[in-house]
Amino acid sequence: GVVTVDLHGKNTYQAKVTVDALLRRAGGGTYRLRLIHGCHGGTALRDFLRQTYGAHPKVRRLLLSPDGGTTELVLREYI
């Protein structure tokens, strides 16, 4: 399914530790990681996630929310 994580209040290091752990633990049943980071307090975390995980070997593509507050890492496509 989809694993949702709220990253509000974390700095980039804390977010990286959290997302790296999720990627390590993601099994065959995990299709997406939905990362809620918000956008009204600044875009540093959003930009960091997109830059760091956009080219990650386990991530096929990124889905960006229209409001800019959520980034989804697509690990597998739904069949």
Side-chain angles (χ1 to χ4, degrees):
V2 178
V3 176
T4 302
V5 178
D6 189 349
L7 299 175
H8 281 100
K10 294 188 184 298
N11 61 33
T12 54
Y13 175 77
Q14 293 167 328
K16 181 170 176 30
V17 168
T18 301
V19 175
D20 286 347
L22 289 169
L23 285 170
R24 276 194 310 274
R25 288 189 234 134
T30 304
Y31 290 89
R32 295 181 183 180
L33 298 179
R34 181 175 296 138
L35 309 173
I36 302 170
H37 44 72
C39 62
H40 297 295
T43 61
L45 191 55
R46 178 191 71 191
D47 297 341
F48 167 77
L49 291 170
R50 292 175 184 177
Q51 182 180 29
T52 303
Y53 296 103
H56 192 279
K58 285 192 171 184
V59 178
R60 292 192 182 251
R61 64 188 170 99
L62 298 177
L63 289 178
L64 315 173
S65 67
D67 67 354
T70 304
T71 300
E72 289 192 20
L73 308 181
V74 178
L75 308 180
R76 293 175 186 75
E77 299 295 341
Y78 294 121
I79 298 175

